[in-house]
Amino acid sequence: MEIGWFRRNHLVPVPEVGSLAELNAMVERWDVENDDRRIRSRPRTIGDHFAVERLLLQPLPDEPFETGRPFSLRVDRYAQVSVRTHRYSVPVGLIGRTVRVMLHASEVVVYDGRKEVARHERLIAKGQTRLELDRYLEALVRKPGAFPGATALEQARSAGKFTPVHDAWWAAACKAHGDRDGTRALFEVLLLGRHLHHEYLVTGLAAALRAGALTADTVALEARKAGPSPTMRRPRRQIQSRTGRV
């Protein structure tokens, strides 16, 4: 009965939201506000009744209860797994291997053994693909010419992870070093994103661009100035070019 009241008063008409997380936040706010409501002529509020009931509840178990649906899937040659007509990217090093996938209401989590290797917001419409640009950097370095038209790049732009500052720095690097080496330099910068906060990295790109210093080392230095952190360090794997490290 109370579920029906909640649905009629909050979910009719259906709220327009940008994501499931936004809807969950709205429902949680409504739930808190509902504590002050009285059912018919009862002297106590819903919150008062729950305060009494709370004392009788058993504690939650120490181990979390897994609510996702498990799948055992093989990673294809594009470093993707297919889950209910949707495709999600995983690290390229897992190509050809079988991974464990947990499908939740709002996200998809991929494990290699017990190690989490990928986490994506769950896709809803049929036949969609969710790609993380970072997972393809090692593969794209061998074919830098494929990068401008890559689906992962377009999705990164749409998500705000590949900003206009990235594009401007990339264009300047290509002009200075040539398309191939300029794109390789960009890959080196993107690899820094595994160790640097995105905001600091964008600040470092902008500063390096203003100074005309189109190297990943300069971007790392400027990013470190923007937000010093003991965890900021260069990635161990360096991208090699014919003329040496980019």
Side-chain angles (χ1 to χ4, degrees):
M1 183 175 177
E2 283 302 302
I3 293 178
W5 183 95
F6 192 93
R7 178 180 60 81
R8 290 190 301 273
N9 284 269
H10 295 300
L11 301 176
V12 179
V14 177
E16 294 185 6
V17 296
S19 66
L20 183 59
E22 183 181 348
L23 178 60
N24 284 335
M26 293 171 63
V27 171
E28 184 175 355
R29 186 181 73 251
W30 294 330
D31 191 39
V32 172
E33 293 172 352
N34 204 41
D35 283 347
D36 295 329
R37 187 171 63 87
R38 287 181 170 82
I39 299 177
R40 296 191 177 89
S41 59
R42 296 182 184 182
R44 294 182 177 181
T45 65
I46 291 176
D48 293 335
H49 282 290
F50 182 68
V52 175
E53 183 180 351
R54 187 195 299 271
L55 301 176
L56 305 177
L57 298 177
Q58 294 294 322
L60 294 173
D62 294 332
E63 296 183 1
F65 181 75
E66 179 58 71
T67 59
R69 178 174 180 178
F71 294 86
S72 182
L73 302 172
R74 185 178 179 84
V75 180
D76 66 18
R77 61 185 179 132
Y78 302 108
Q80 300 171 20
V81 291
S82 179
V83 186
R84 288 190 168 181
T85 76
H86 302 123
R87 309 188 71 81
Y88 302 89
S89 62
V90 301
V92 294
L94 296 176
I95 291 176
R97 297 179 60 174
T98 299
V99 295
R100 180 168 57 92
V101 179
M102 297 302 298
L103 178 65
H104 296 272
S106 58
E107 62 183 4
V108 174
V109 187
V110 183
Y111 298 90
D112 179 28
R114 294 190 176 186
K115 180 182 178 182
E116 181 182 321
V117 294
R119 182 181 292 264
H120 297 276
E121 182 179 351
R122 181 175 175 178
L123 296 168
I124 303 300
K126 291 184 178 180
Q128 291 185 312
T129 302
R130 178 84 69 188
L131 306 180
E132 286 290 340
L133 178 59
D134 179 76
R135 307 194 190 286
Y136 291 96
L137 295 178
E138 286 83 357
L140 285 168
V141 70
R142 297 191 295 270
K143 297 181 179 180
F147 184 62
T151 302
L153 173 59
E154 291 306 313
Q155 291 194 4
R157 281 197 179 106
S158 298
K161 297 179 180 179
F162 196 93
T163 68
V165 177
H166 285 81
D167 271 314
W169 192 94
W170 180 21
C174 288
K175 184 177 181 179
H177 307 304
D179 289 347
R180 183 179 179 85
D181 285 345
T183 301
R184 282 177 175 271
L186 175 67
F187 291 155
E188 184 82 0
V189 168
L190 294 176
L191 283 170
L192 292 172
R194 297 179 179 178
H195 305 274
L196 301 176
H197 191 279
H198 181 262
E199 180 183 353
Y200 301 153
L201 183 59
V202 173
T203 301
L205 278 167
L209 183 61
R210 288 193 299 270
L214 305 172
T215 66
D217 288 332
T218 303
V219 174
L221 177 62
E222 294 296 336
R224 195 171 289 114
K225 290 179 181 178
S229 169
T231 62
M232 292 183 182
R233 58 184 181 274
R234 296 295 301 276
R236 294 180 180 178
R237 176 176 294 185
Q238 302 295 333
I239 296 176
Q240 301 290 329
S241 70
R242 293 181 181 179
T243 58
R245 194 186 74 183
V246 176

